[in-house]
Amino acid sequence: MQFMLLFSRQGKLRLQKWYVPLSDKEKKKITRELVQTVLARKPKMCSFLEWRDLKIVYKRYASLYFCCAIEDQDNELITLEIIHRYVELLDKYFGSVCELDIIFNFEKAYFILDEFLLGGEVQETSKKNVLKAIEQADLLQEKTEYHSKSFIGFKKAY
Amino acid sequence: MGTLCTGTGSWPNCSTSTCWATPPTLDSDLSQGIQPVQGLALCTLSTMGSAEMCRDLAPEVEKLLLQPSPYVRKKAILTAVHMIRKVPELSSVFLPPCVHLLHERHHGILLGTITLITELCERSPAALRHFRKVVPQLVQILRTLVTTGYSTEHSISGVSDPFLQVQILHLLRILGRNHEESSETMNDLLAQVATNTDTSRNAGNAVLFETVLTIMDIHSAAGLRVLAVNILGRFLLNSDRNIRYVALTSLLRLVQSDHSAVQRHRPTVVDCLQETDASLSRRALELSLALVNSSNVRAMMQELQAFLESCPPDLRADCASGILLAAERFAPTKRWHIDTILHVLTTAGAHVRDDAVANLTQLIGGAQELHAYSVHRLYNALAEDISQQPLVQVAAWCIGEYGDLLLEGNCEEIEPLQVDEEEVLALLEKVLQSHMSLPATRGYALTALMKLSTRLQGDNNRIRQVVSIYRSCLDVELQQRAVEYDTLFRKYDHMRAAILEKMPLVERDGPQADEEAKQSKEAAQLSEAAPAPTEPQASQLLDLLDLLDGASGDAQHLPPLDPSPGVALVYLLDLPCAPPPPAPIPDLKVFEREGVQLNLSFIRPPENPALLLITITATNSSEGDVTNFICQAAVPKSLQLQLQAPSGNTVPAQGGLPITQLFRILNPNKAPLRLKLRLTYNHFHQSVQEIFEVNNLPVESWQ
């Protein structure tokens, strides 16, 4: 996979993960063009389209478009499964995920993605393992926050 | 923990300064042994590791490959994939652990390993050869996956770990390509996967699709290939649009190599033409066109023409040109071919390619038995609709050429139609005047009218009137034609019938005919003393006659008719060929006496190597005139000498007008030239006589 974009029906970008090195300007240009192209598609059209020299696989979940760019030799149907798995992971984590969850907790969304895909390839096919890893990272974060919070508190009390 | 902030992928770009800052931190993070930290470090590295970073940190990553914890190992493996992509030389570092890693049971590690092996094989043929030996192991892994039952952790809708299955199939494809032995090892397994995978949901179809791709790419048994094509055929009937899309795309790739297998699914493919989704119907169109062959051409053309009538506008051009191409290749009869082209022109005339008109006129011109039929049909089509430009152009040309057949009215193949002369002329005039007609179309119509002046029985007043009107047309091209035609009526009426005769069949090679037309056009512009073209005169003559017979394609113009065409033709014949000029022979001063000088200049015309032309020039720089100047010459017996009359016999004093005289010497045997000159003249009231042999004759004058 070369990159994944998440954007709303109004064209606002919610998430972008790039697995190829590109300059900022290029990324913006690609994003703009692709968002326009995908939003122009009618609802009954198929999920695949050819854009530049890449294959684009997209799927709409509620108000969000999940859009992946894959290379010529990649399997489009399995990419649809990848997108679906990611949505399932988000759903499990946030509990009935909606766009707002992703807007306000985008760093978590990225974290979940990073536990599922690495360098553009699937790293873990077990939903359980991915969610476990995220849980552990959450615990670690809480511990750190707790420590820093209690330290401040201690200082204040003193 | 320094990597926490960089690790989360929301970092928008990788500026070089950041990258420089992180390696020391990454290094320590990787080696510290705290799993989450290591995980984050690997994530950062795999997402934005530059080449330098990869090189520096490769050893660390290698160490992590062998760690006990699967959490870190799976990430390390995929980081290695990224590193190899950035720095291909690192392949040697990461190749050895692979075979060992294949024995792991953890799906994440297995998946990563297979991805790594795929990357290694794609980059190096040596690695490819090395990994062929793991084919049996891969087959075993996949077989276990397929035959084990449902596993809550990894299954998706009844298919065990489709991600892993697809990855294994992809690797098998790369390993089995062009390798008999490996292909054979996989055959059974592929058949098993192809038949046993549950296809009710997308996951199963994804695995099946990958299987089909693998089967088609390796050396599989014929039966297996047919099975694969049939699976694709089944996909075409699937209600899921995405599945139909991948089926059409794959079949398009296979149609060249497995034509007969794909042919079996032709009806389904043709049904897909009705798809509402444009990308699907486009693929269906391409596939349908690829499937046309001589046995199904009539049926297919019917379907395609029906499609042409209803298809979305952006597909029209492709469909039209596809139909025309297929018709050209597989037309069963000429009449069918003409009918097909006619239909395409009426339905999608605006979208056909430019050469369709030329092709059709060529086709009609060549089918003599169909002239009457063609002209009738075209006339009817034109009467109905004069807006489709290619159709109008062809119809106008046809009516012009075969107007007599149109008026005869009897044609076996269609209902007899009584066509009136006036009607025909009215129709052509309508085309001429219509604002929808392109300038080229109007040119066609005007020429057609002109041709009809010889084909029709009635008088030509109406035609003459029209031609006359267009003499002042604003369009220069039309104006030129009208003027020429008008001149033809007025001054060269006797030649009109010959000039407007039926055209001979134009050569099929378009560009070449244009070239010749252009060159003969240049030759015909005789008003200025044009340098002679190097073509043989005979073909130029022929081209000129062809042009006079009337325009066919857009490229040919009528040349401006010179006032006396007869003279023009003769002139054409007289133009000498222009050979490359030979190196000039230097002049020779042969005589000088009291200011009277005699010079010889030599010319060897290249078209006649035996001929030598010598021009003698007598000049007088003295105070007294030279009068009664006579020059005689003698040459050896083997040569022939011809003296032409001198320009005069007086050379006035002080550089007056010199006398020139031409000698023609024929020297077919190339004998050495010897020249004796005898001069007699009066100078300073004395008669002078000089006899001498010319010395130092240049060798080039006779060799």
Side-chain angles (χ1 to χ4, degrees):
Chain A
M1 192 183 300
Q2 293 214 351
F3 57 85
M4 183 191 280
L5 303 173
L6 259 74
F7 49 91
S8 70
R9 300 223 302 158
Q10 285 74 38
K12 284 206 89 99
L13 195 63
R14 298 297 176 209
L15 211 116
Q16 49 175 324
K17 186 78 186 181
W18 300 86
Y19 295 110
V20 287
L22 287 168
S23 73
D24 225 14
K25 204 166 99 168
E26 280 169 0
K27 285 184 192 168
K28 281 205 174 58
K29 182 159 178 258
I30 290 175
T31 308
R32 204 178 16 189
E33 269 181 47
L34 205 49
V35 168
Q36 239 177 349
T37 313
V38 172
L39 287 177
R41 302 272 287 181
K42 299 199 204 69
K44 287 290 183 195
M45 296 178 105
C46 73
S47 295
F48 314 128
L49 60 104
E50 268 155 29
W51 182 80
R52 300 199 185 172
D53 59 340
L54 296 170
K55 296 201 270 202
I56 305 293
V57 180
Y58 73 93
K59 196 150 175 171
R60 194 181 129 216
Y61 287 87
S63 58
L64 269 182
Y65 281 89
F66 287 70
C67 182
C68 297
I70 56 174
E71 282 158 1
D72 211 32
Q73 66 269 27
D74 293 334
N75 184 334
E76 292 101 320
L77 296 176
I78 207 74
T79 312
L80 276 176
E81 289 300 319
I82 292 176
I83 293 177
H84 192 72
R85 173 56 68 88
Y86 182 47
V87 173
E88 281 180 337
L89 290 168
L90 288 171
D91 197 51
K92 202 69 198 280
Y93 181 79
F94 288 110
S96 287
V97 67
C98 63
E99 192 181 343
L100 282 174
D101 291 319
I102 300 183
I103 296 173
F104 288 115
N105 300 294
F106 65 89
E107 75 281 358
K108 281 286 180 243
Y110 277 112
F111 199 80
I112 295 171
L113 186 60
D114 285 338
E115 285 298 323
F116 177 42
L117 302 175
L118 197 72
E121 310 286 341
V122 177
Q123 69 174 283
E124 181 58 70
T125 56
S126 156
K127 246 195 293 194
K128 194 177 79 180
N129 288 350
V130 176
L131 291 167
K132 206 164 49 171
I134 298 168
E135 224 175 290
Q136 299 212 335
D138 276 350
L139 281 172
L140 193 59
Q141 202 171 1
E142 274 175 28
K143 258 195 267 175
T144 330
E145 279 175 13
Y146 178 68
H147 279 309
S148 54
K149 276 209 188 99
S150 57
F151 187 66
I152 292 166
F154 179 63
K155 256 199 122 174
K156 264 195 170 161
Y158 191 66
Chain B
M1 281 309 227
T3 50
L4 231 174
C5 24
T6 55
T8 49
S10 54
W11 197 259
N13 55 0
C14 177
S15 62
T16 39
S17 54
T18 329
C19 285
W20 273 117
T22 37
T25 358
L26 272 181
D27 198 9
S28 58
D29 286 339
L30 282 176
S31 49
Q32 259 172 28
I34 305 173
Q35 283 195 26
V37 176
Q38 286 171 326
L40 282 169
L42 288 167
C43 181
T44 314
L45 192 50
S46 69
T47 312
M48 45 174 151
S50 65
E52 288 89 32
M53 282 167 76
C54 291
R55 260 190 274 265
D56 292 336
L57 297 170
E60 284 302 326
V61 174
E62 196 192 346
K63 264 191 267 172
L64 290 174
L65 280 178
L66 308 163
Q67 267 221 349
S69 151
Y71 177 77
V72 176
R73 278 171 96 185
K74 72 187 182 195
K75 289 185 195 276
I77 298 172
L78 285 177
T79 311
V81 173
H82 171 84
M83 287 181 154
I84 291 173
R85 285 181 184 153
K86 276 286 186 195
V87 185
E89 296 82 47
L90 289 173
S91 307
S92 48
V93 172
F94 293 115
L95 196 146
C98 286
V99 181
H100 174 71
L101 283 168
L102 265 184
H103 293 284
E104 292 293 323
R105 304 282 298 278
H106 188 273
H107 282 223
I109 296 181
L110 258 182
L111 186 54
T113 311
I114 293 178
T115 314
L116 180 57
I117 298 177
T118 310
E119 194 64 36
L120 287 166
C121 291
E122 275 175 347
R123 286 184 185 271
S124 137
L128 185 60
R129 281 192 293 275
H130 172 82
F131 282 114
R132 284 224 173 93
K133 63 177 190 271
V134 304
V135 169
Q137 200 178 349
L138 290 170
V139 168
Q140 189 50 44
I141 298 173
L142 188 51
R143 186 170 280 134
T144 323
L145 260 183
V146 172
T147 46
T148 29
Y150 179 75
S151 135
T152 37
E153 213 179 321
H154 298 288
S155 299
I156 300 182
S157 31
V159 182
S160 317
D161 207 338
F163 300 113
L164 185 55
Q165 286 199 40
V166 165
Q167 205 68 16
I168 297 177
L169 285 164
H170 188 179
L171 180 55
L172 285 175
R173 176 152 89 243
I174 294 173
L175 293 174
R177 203 179 276 156
N178 296 327
H179 197 246
E180 276 290 341
E181 208 190 302
S182 309
S183 306
E184 235 170 298
T185 325
M186 312 175 194
N187 254 306
D188 289 339
L189 172 67
L190 291 173
Q192 191 182 0
V193 176
T195 35
N196 290 345
T197 309
D198 180 358
T199 54
S200 52
R201 302 292 291 277
N202 186 54
N205 285 322
V207 173
L208 206 52
F209 180 48
E210 195 72 31
T211 315
V212 166
L213 290 178
T214 303
I215 292 175
M216 299 317 292
D217 225 6
I218 63 172
H219 278 215
S220 39
L224 199 54
R225 288 183 88 89
V226 173
L227 174 63
V229 176
N230 288 346
I231 292 176
L232 289 178
R234 259 199 348 254
F235 273 3
L236 276 182
L237 297 164
N238 196 306
S239 49
D240 186 347
R241 202 168 291 117
N242 297 328
I243 311 258
R244 294 205 293 276
Y245 178 91
V246 299
L248 284 171
T249 318
S250 314
L251 283 172
L252 197 54
R253 277 208 292 254
L254 295 176
V255 74
Q256 300 302 331
S257 51
D258 295 77
H259 192 87
S260 44
V262 181
Q263 274 285 356
R264 248 175 259 140
H265 301 279
R266 189 170 52 84
T268 329
V269 173
V270 170
D271 283 337
C272 288
L273 282 173
Q274 311 304 328
E275 294 277 355
T276 41
D277 183 349
S279 45
L280 259 78
S281 50
R282 175 181 287 279
R283 287 212 151 50
L285 175 64
E286 283 172 26
L287 192 51
S288 307
L289 286 171
L291 285 176
V292 177
N293 63 23
S294 36
S295 46
N296 61 25
V297 65
R298 280 185 200 258
M300 286 296 280
M301 280 299 135
Q302 238 175 338
E303 298 278 353
L304 287 169
Q305 283 176 337
F307 177 62
L308 183 62
E309 281 168 22
S310 57
C311 75
D314 49 345
L315 285 179
R316 278 247 163 98
D318 291 328
C319 189
S321 27
I323 292 179
L324 290 178
L325 263 166
E328 204 173 294
R329 283 178 68 192
F330 300 113
T333 61
K334 278 205 174 147
R335 181 177 149 179
W336 181 92
H337 194 178
I338 291 176
D339 281 342
T340 310
I341 302 185
L342 202 58
H343 186 257
V344 171
L345 287 181
T346 14
T347 334
H351 301 271
V352 294
R353 273 189 5 223
D354 298 332
D355 59 356
V357 172
N359 285 344
L360 183 55
T361 53
Q362 163 82 12
L363 183 64
I364 294 178
Q368 195 159 359
E369 67 281 9
L370 293 168
H371 284 171
Y373 173 74
S374 315
V375 72
H376 272 99
R377 289 222 45 200
L378 282 166
Y379 177 77
N380 288 334
L382 187 62
E384 276 178 41
D385 176 14
I386 61 167
S387 63
Q388 304 257 36
Q389 296 303 296
L391 178 66
V392 175
Q393 287 176 4
V394 176
W397 181 87
C398 227
I399 294 174
E401 277 293 296
Y402 310 119
D404 46 341
L405 295 172
L406 178 64
L407 293 164
E408 266 170 37
N410 48 345
C411 175
E412 296 126 22
E413 315 198 13
I414 56 175
E415 286 154 31
L417 178 70
Q418 261 315 99
V419 180
D420 200 293
E421 272 184 26
E422 294 299 315
E423 283 174 5
V424 177
L425 294 179
L427 187 58
L428 284 176
E429 280 169 31
K430 191 166 146 200
V431 170
L432 255 181
Q433 288 156 9
S434 163
H435 62 277
M436 290 187 282
S437 299
L438 294 173
T441 313
R442 295 166 83 189
Y444 271 101
L446 191 59
T447 310
L449 269 174
M450 198 56 201
K451 288 188 203 168
L452 283 178
S453 69
T454 53
R455 316 265 199 268
L456 301 184
Q457 316 294 357
D459 65 17
N460 296 326
N461 285 334
R462 189 163 174 179
I463 299 178
R464 288 189 72 158
Q465 242 181 346
V466 174
V467 165
S468 206
I469 293 171
Y470 277 88
R471 281 191 325 166
S472 40
C473 173
L474 282 176
D475 184 311
V476 178
E477 164 79 30
L478 272 182
Q479 189 189 96
Q480 180 181 328
R481 282 180 196 243
V483 169
E484 291 163 12
Y485 294 150
D486 195 52
T487 318
L488 204 53
F489 268 126
R490 284 195 276 120
K491 287 207 214 158
Y492 302 101
D493 212 35
H494 55 283
M495 295 183 73
R496 191 161 45 88
I499 290 176
L500 295 172
E501 254 180 21
K502 286 222 171 68
M503 277 197 61
L505 198 57
V506 181
E507 272 310 304
R508 190 57 199 262
D509 312 303
Q512 222 176 35
D514 285 358
E515 269 305 306
E516 285 180 25
K518 259 190 272 184
Q519 285 177 339
S520 31
K521 227 182 52 166
E522 285 161 13
Q525 274 155 11
L526 306 161
S527 38
E528 55 268 315
T534 51
E535 282 185 328
Q537 295 92 341
S539 72
Q540 279 181 339
L541 203 57
L542 229 56
D543 286 342
L544 199 58
L545 280 177
D546 274 351
L547 288 173
L548 291 173
D549 259 340
S552 66
D554 295 330
Q556 292 188 353
H557 294 295
L558 272 189
L561 277 180
D562 270 352
S564 42
V567 169
L569 294 178
V570 167
Y571 197 137
L572 206 58
L573 283 170
D574 256 355
L575 287 172
C577 291
I585 308 173
D587 291 357
L588 192 64
K589 186 168 100 168
V590 298
F591 172 80
E592 189 177 24
R593 178 180 157 152
E594 290 171 336
V596 180
Q597 217 175 48
L598 195 70
N599 274 355
L600 298 184
S601 61
F602 306 86
I603 295 177
R604 293 282 301 271
E607 68 263 25
N608 194 350
L611 183 62
L612 171 65
L613 302 168
I614 301 181
T615 309
I616 65 156
T617 312
T619 51
N620 181 6
S621 56
S622 68
E623 302 295 313
D625 294 350
V626 166
T627 53
N628 299 77
F629 183 87
I630 293 175
C631 175
Q632 287 163 318
V635 291
K637 274 214 172 64
S638 54
L639 284 70
Q640 276 179 20
L641 174 65
Q642 202 181 45
L643 289 176
Q644 295 199 339
S647 62
N649 32 24
T650 308
V651 188
Q654 289 169 341
L657 188 69
I659 296 173
T660 57
Q661 188 171 14
L662 184 64
F663 298 169
R664 291 172 68 99
I665 297 177
L666 269 172
N667 186 2
N669 303 326
K670 293 202 194 298
L673 179 66
R674 293 174 63 189
L675 188 63
K676 221 171 185 176
L677 290 176
R678 179 169 180 264
L679 301 175
T680 53
Y681 59 92
N682 288 344
H683 193 209
F684 294 130
H685 311 292
Q686 284 175 348
S687 90
V688 176
Q689 186 185 284
E690 294 277 331
I691 301 177
F692 56 90
E693 182 163 358
V694 177
N695 299 322
N696 308 322
L697 278 168
V699 171
E700 298 89 4
S701 59
W702 51 269
Q703 256 182 0

